[in-house]
Amino acid sequence: MVGNTENTDLTRAKKAQKFNLWLGLIGMFMMFAALSSGYIVYTASGIDKGLKTTLPNTFILSTLAIVVSSITIQLAFNAAKKKDKPKQKLFLLITMVLGIVFFASQIHSWNVLSERGIFFVSNNASQSFLYIFTGMHLAHIIAGLIVLARAYFGVSSDIPAEKSYFRIELANIFWHFLDILWIYIYVFLLLNQ
Amino acid sequence: MSSTVISHDAAHHDSHGHHQESFLSKYIFSMDHKMIAKQFLITGIIMAVFAMVLSILFRIQLAWPDKEFPLLEVFLGKWAEGGRIKPDFFLSLVTIHGTIMVFFVLTAGLSGTFSNLLIPYQIGARDMASPLMNMLSYWSFLIACIVMVASFFIESGPASAGWTIYPPLSAVPTSISGSGLGQTLWLVSMTFFIVSQVMGGVNYISTILNMRTEGMDLWKMPLTIWALFLTAIVGLLSFPVLVSAVVLLIFDRSFGTSFYLSDLVVQGQILPNEGGSPILFQHLFWFLGHPEVYIVVMPALGLTSEVISTNSRKPIFGYHAMVYSLIGITVLSFIVWGHHMFVTGMNPFLGGVFMITTLIIAVPSAVKGFNYLATLWRGNIRFTPAMMFAIGLVSFFISGGLTGLFLGNATLDINLHDTYFVVAHFHLVMGSASIFGMLCGVYHWYPKMFGRMMNAKLGYLHFWLTFLGAYLVFFPMHFMGIDGVPRRYYAFTEFPFMEKWVSVNVLVTWAAIVAGLGQLAFIYNFFSSIWFGKKATQNPWNSNTLEWTTPVEHIHGNWPGEIPAVHRWPYDYSKPGAEQDFIPQTVPFSETMSSNMPHDFEGNEEAERIQEEWNAKNK
């Protein structure tokens, strides 16, 4: 009896924690929604505002990296469902590497932009917004990489299988969110270039 | 059947719940919702006293602008050289008073306390969904408080750009002394505060949606829970927007970007920033800032709904209407922010749109006001101190709400904007109303928090001093506002048209001082009752909600055995035919055959048939 109820207790707590993550995602989305509307309001304030450039091609590489990483994290999660440890580790590792590739590619994009004379500190704040969007997203990517690393160590250490499964489940949701968030930002910027 | 009920039988409970707790794990790093609620409350009370002292300091300046008070220099040193508060420091006092009251007292102190205390208790849960996040939420809040207070001890003084931190004053560190390190500390403090609010809010929503006990469907939740739930949703959707606004502000302050800055000359020097728009900040800020005032007032409305119903010994009038009006306020709160910005050169058409949405908020607010009055109407009223404060809230909510109709009107606002009329309006409808809601909650749930009762006589003294004091302080301000006296002005003697108001300021300041002293009755009552108050019984107010079915002694997990299931809504007071004038939510209909009504069964034909049989037999 006690064992059973403890189980329901746990399932319920997990359900609630997963729900917490979804709510957190809503909060993060609101932050970027605010930046988007800030961008629109600012850019509409004068004809001299706006990006005044095309987006660097390196963004395409970033997009590829993060979309593929979304697939690999899903594969890791599927492997976790089948309790296939080596596959989980492999796909988690690939996801992390792709995450780092994304990170590097974004930083490189900043270099490309500043070579074109588009700097963060600028009297056309639309251009500063470009750095804010990507920078804030990268801050989330760092958090995502930590979550992935935690899931990876969950698989490789001997914590209970259920716990490690739960970690991958949450990491999976979060990483997909980061992917979708980037696509949103990219499309938003493309529409405004 | 019991699949959703968590059962902790006694034996299991002992082995797991009563492990030796050290002082640190029990009182400091506690993850228990009841302890965290007390932590929020006591921190909130300390911050409230601090912010109140600040207000009395600037009131002294407003009443006696040319007089010297050597005592002030003793305490404030260079900020009151020669016994007169300096203009820069005056602005700091106003700023930090507003910040602490709005965010630390009426947001964290109010929501933090009662969400933590009541959500698990009233929905029948052992604790919050994530106790760890709950603890972190309190700790972030405490750090925010410490950083904010610490800004009084730095060379350049605390932030002084107003609680709304409009740029350029907040964005150019060299503009006034408070814009330097003081403003930076303000931003640091607010970052911790937002973290605290988001973590807390996420937890509250998740707990309410996922951890309700058996039978507790959404329409059986007390209005307190509805209010706290919707408040948390508003917070979750609006605080992240403030993060964005603040991030941009930080970059403007410290990295030279121009999101908000343009064409500025500070102390003879032309600033390099070009092309920014301070209006952009106002849009982002008020997108949080307006929902924030509902974050402040909605929990207070929820608490008083419960207290008014319990102490009128009547069901709350229009339960569904109360919920729908809270939902209405929640939705509308996000589309009215522009009414803070009517005079920024806003397109008149847009101003008209914001005016209409703003005035529509009067509808749900009026529904709530009428429902309170209808609940009180011919009730068997018990004037407990909590009830007095609840009725006080209704009074403030109505008298302050009415002036909202004037300010919400875009044309009238041109005259009234940034005058004392605004100060009077929001101090009544949001400040006093929420403080009264919070105090009402403290008096009502004190027995649940500390297992003892507060002294009622001191409670009445506290109520009358505060109630009359608040009206004497804020009511005269309406007239000053109509005369065009701007808020935040340092010396009334500097402007001929304002000089005649100095005598009113003297009245207001004395009222503030007396009301401030009245709070000593509360502070003494609150702290001494923890140890010396009369011992509380399990259900001292004969209330229906679940928290009163828990033992007086706090235990880990709240209920010693299984969590009770819920069978009815929380407002069965004075039900015709019932033995007592209250029927707790845990009592099944089978035990109250004499008072059941056909609509109680929500269309369950079997139950209706049994009831009819019983009725036929017992007539």
Side-chain angles (χ1 to χ4, degrees):
Chain A
M1 175 69 195
V2 169
N4 264 342
T5 50
E6 267 201 344
N7 266 344
T8 28
D9 215 349
L10 261 179
T11 348
R12 195 190 237 203
K14 276 188 179 161
K15 200 179 138 206
Q17 280 172 24
K18 205 158 105 183
F19 196 79
N20 278 356
L21 175 65
W22 282 107
L23 293 174
L25 299 186
I26 293 175
M28 292 174 213
F29 174 76
M30 280 309 290
M31 206 162 79
F32 283 91
L35 288 175
S36 314
S37 57
Y39 176 89
I40 293 170
V41 170
Y42 179 86
T43 304
S45 69
I47 42 163
D48 53 333
K49 307 294 192 296
L51 287 184
K52 306 280 177 215
T53 179
T54 50
L55 295 179
N57 290 333
T58 40
F59 278 176
I60 297 171
L61 173 67
S62 309
T63 312
L64 272 177
I66 201 160
V67 168
V68 175
S69 77
S70 221
I71 297 168
T72 54
I73 185 78
Q74 189 62 43
L75 290 175
F77 180 53
N78 291 349
K81 277 190 201 158
K82 291 180 197 140
K83 302 198 167 86
D84 184 346
K85 269 197 174 188
K87 258 194 180 168
Q88 283 181 59
K89 280 209 258 180
L90 175 70
F91 284 122
L92 277 173
L93 208 59
I94 298 176
T95 312
M96 279 192 275
V97 170
L98 285 168
I100 293 165
V101 169
F102 175 84
F103 197 94
S105 163
Q106 293 292 84
I107 301 286
H108 179 61
S109 311
W110 287 354
N111 280 333
V112 173
L113 284 169
S114 41
E115 275 163 21
R116 287 190 206 161
I118 293 164
F119 298 105
F120 178 47
V121 176
S122 154
N123 285 339
N124 177 2
S126 299
Q127 296 178 344
S128 313
F129 264 114
L130 196 54
Y131 288 88
I132 292 283
F133 277 116
T134 47
M136 297 273 275
H137 183 254
L138 280 187
H140 286 77
I141 289 285
I142 293 175
L145 285 172
I146 295 170
V147 169
L148 287 176
R150 200 165 160 268
Y152 181 83
F153 290 118
V155 184
S156 35
S157 68
D158 49 359
I159 62 165
E162 240 179 88
K163 237 182 171 177
S164 114
Y165 174 79
F166 190 56
R167 283 187 189 180
I168 294 199
E169 196 181 354
L170 294 191
N172 184 36
I173 298 172
F174 188 50
W175 196 259
H176 283 317
F177 169 76
L178 294 180
D179 178 21
I180 294 167
L181 185 61
W182 168 249
I183 291 171
Y184 162 75
I185 294 171
Y186 191 36
V187 171
F188 178 80
L189 293 175
L190 278 175
L191 292 175
N192 282 292
Q193 61 180 338
Chain B
M1 186 201 102
S2 62
S3 63
T4 52
V5 178
I6 306 163
S7 100
H8 275 223
D9 57 46
H12 164 63
H13 186 78
D14 278 343
S15 63
H16 155 92
H18 286 216
H19 50 82
Q20 274 298 322
E21 282 184 308
S22 67
F23 179 83
L24 273 182
S25 69
K26 185 170 177 197
Y27 293 105
I28 311 294
F29 296 107
S30 173
M31 292 202 217
D32 186 299
H33 74 102
K34 302 178 285 287
M35 183 56 69
I36 295 175
K38 290 191 225 176
Q39 290 173 329
F40 266 109
L41 179 59
I42 291 175
T43 314
I45 290 175
I46 293 170
M47 293 309 279
V49 170
F50 183 75
M52 188 184 75
V53 170
L54 301 185
S55 72
I56 289 180
L57 285 175
F58 66 69
R59 283 293 344 160
I60 288 176
Q61 163 62 28
L62 289 169
W64 299 285
D66 300 321
K67 212 167 161 188
E68 285 165 9
F69 297 91
L71 191 65
L72 288 181
E73 193 175 0
V74 176
F75 285 108
L76 300 173
K78 67 168 183 167
W79 299 116
E81 232 164 34
R84 280 188 66 187
I85 285 168
K86 278 191 180 169
D88 283 9
F89 191 61
F90 177 83
L91 291 177
S92 295
L93 289 172
V94 178
T95 302
I96 307 294
H97 165 78
T99 307
I100 290 182
M101 284 297 192
V102 170
F103 290 114
F104 294 2
V105 180
L106 292 176
T107 303
L110 177 58
S111 269
T113 303
F114 290 102
S115 296
N116 274 303
L117 183 73
L118 294 180
I119 289 175
Y121 265 150
Q122 289 195 334
I123 65 168
R126 300 264 177 220
D127 207 316
M128 285 286 178
S130 168
L132 174 72
M133 265 171 82
N134 215 16
M135 178 185 84
L136 293 176
S137 163
Y138 172 72
W139 281 96
S140 312
F141 168 55
L142 185 68
I143 294 171
C145 291
I146 292 170
V147 172
M148 191 63 78
V149 172
S151 69
F152 276 85
F153 299 96
I154 57 171
E155 183 69 26
S156 55
S160 50
W163 79 275
T164 55
I165 55 160
Y166 279 0
L169 213 46
S170 60
V172 181
T174 48
S175 47
I176 47 173
S177 62
S179 304
L181 184 57
Q183 187 65 49
T184 305
L185 288 177
W186 192 101
L187 292 167
V188 170
S189 165
M190 202 46 67
T191 309
F192 279 104
F193 181 80
I194 295 170
V195 169
S196 153
Q197 285 309 297
V198 171
M199 281 200 290
V202 160
N203 226 341
Y204 307 152
I205 299 173
S206 175
T207 307
I208 292 172
L209 290 182
N210 293 301
M211 320 263 288
R212 296 191 310 277
T213 187
E214 192 198 344
M216 179 65 85
D217 58 55
L218 291 177
W219 290 111
K220 288 198 179 69
M221 296 198 308
L223 286 170
T224 34
I225 300 300
W226 270 108
L228 294 168
F229 174 58
L230 292 165
T231 304
I233 291 178
V234 175
L236 178 68
L237 295 179
S238 61
F239 273 109
V241 178
L242 183 65
V243 175
S244 297
V246 162
V247 165
L248 302 185
L249 183 65
I250 290 171
F251 283 120
D252 270 8
R253 277 175 65 78
S254 314
F255 294 84
T257 53
S258 305
F259 292 104
Y260 306 134
L261 300 174
S262 188
D263 308 310
L264 285 169
V265 181
V266 175
Q267 290 163 4
Q269 286 209 314
I270 301 170
L271 295 189
N273 311 70
E274 283 288 335
S277 158
I279 308 289
L280 176 62
F281 178 84
Q282 294 193 23
H283 277 297
L284 290 174
F285 179 83
W286 286 113
F287 190 84
L288 155 91
H290 196 81
E292 169 63 25
V293 307
Y294 294 102
I295 291 174
V296 163
V297 85
M298 286 210 298
L301 295 175
L303 296 174
T304 45
S305 302
E306 182 67 25
V307 170
I308 286 182
S309 173
T310 305
N311 288 301
S312 299
R313 313 309 291 164
K314 269 180 71 185
I316 190 86
F317 188 91
Y319 171 82
H320 284 81
M322 287 299 236
V323 174
Y324 285 123
S325 53
L326 282 174
I327 295 173
I329 291 175
T330 301
V331 174
L332 287 169
S333 73
F334 284 101
I335 49 172
V336 299
W337 80 91
H339 68 221
H340 297 270
M341 303 165 59
F342 283 143
V343 297
T344 55
M346 177 183 276
N347 180 327
F349 175 75
L350 189 58
V353 172
F354 279 122
M355 182 173 104
I356 289 167
T357 54
T358 302
L359 295 182
I360 291 175
I361 289 206
V363 177
S365 309
V367 167
K368 295 199 82 70
F370 283 120
N371 283 356
Y372 285 135
L373 298 179
T375 308
L376 288 165
W377 181 254
R378 305 189 71 178
N380 183 11
I381 301 179
R382 295 176 180 172
F383 288 104
T384 62
M387 184 63 162
M388 303 291 275
F389 278 96
I391 297 171
L393 170 138
V394 177
S395 167
F396 289 129
F397 193 64
I398 294 172
S399 57
L402 283 175
T403 52
L405 295 173
F406 295 81
L407 289 166
N409 187 309
T411 37
L412 289 176
D413 185 64
I414 293 171
N415 277 44
L416 296 172
H417 188 88
D418 257 354
T419 66
Y420 271 91
F421 194 85
V422 180
V423 179
H425 162 70
F426 74 76
H427 273 96
L428 286 177
V429 76
M430 167 186 121
S432 301
S434 322
I435 282 278
F436 270 53
M438 183 171 167
L439 290 169
C440 140
V442 173
Y443 280 102
H444 191 79
W445 279 281
Y446 192 89
K448 194 73 257 168
M449 274 190 269
F450 296 101
R452 290 176 186 268
M453 309 294 283
M454 285 176 87
N455 181 316
K457 281 201 177 117
L458 281 173
Y460 295 127
L461 176 72
H462 175 219
F463 169 78
W464 284 111
L465 286 175
T466 316
F467 183 73
L468 296 175
Y471 267 122
L472 281 173
V473 168
F474 300 119
F475 210 76
M477 290 184 186
H478 291 107
F479 305 105
M480 296 163 79
I482 292 169
D483 192 35
V485 180
R487 62 196 283 209
R488 293 178 180 147
Y489 272 32
Y490 167 71
F492 273 49
T493 41
E494 297 291 318
F495 303 88
F497 88 100
M498 285 159 64
E499 259 177 274
K500 60 177 176 291
W501 290 105
V502 173
S503 58
V504 174
N505 271 349
V506 174
L507 167 78
V508 169
T509 299
W510 274 115
I513 290 171
V514 173
L517 290 173
Q519 306 312 305
L520 291 176
F522 171 72
I523 302 289
Y524 171 77
N525 198 356
F526 182 90
F527 286 104
S528 72
S529 299
I530 295 178
W531 292 281
F532 309 114
K534 210 175 85 190
K535 284 231 159 97
T537 52
Q538 192 186 16
N539 189 357
W541 317 116
N542 292 341
S543 186
N544 288 343
T545 35
L546 280 181
E547 75 272 31
W548 305 106
T549 62
T550 60
V552 179
E553 279 290 311
H554 285 179
I555 55 169
H556 177 72
N558 296 342
W559 284 268
E562 280 199 14
I563 299 182
V566 162
H567 301 281
R568 57 178 75 230
W569 78 326
Y571 297 108
D572 270 342
Y573 291 107
S574 305
K575 203 173 181 189
E579 286 164 23
Q580 285 176 305
D581 69 349
F582 70 108
I583 309 172
Q585 286 190 279
T586 50
V587 178
F589 287 113
S590 59
E591 288 175 22
T592 58
M593 296 304 276
S594 62
S595 67
N596 292 348
M597 311 285 264
H599 65 251
D600 285 335
F601 302 114
E602 293 166 349
N604 181 341
E605 285 172 14
E606 174 69 1
E608 277 172 20
R609 191 184 57 76
I610 295 171
Q611 181 70 39
E612 273 164 27
E613 271 175 23
W614 188 91
N615 288 349
K617 249 189 245 167
N618 290 277
K619 259 189 186 148

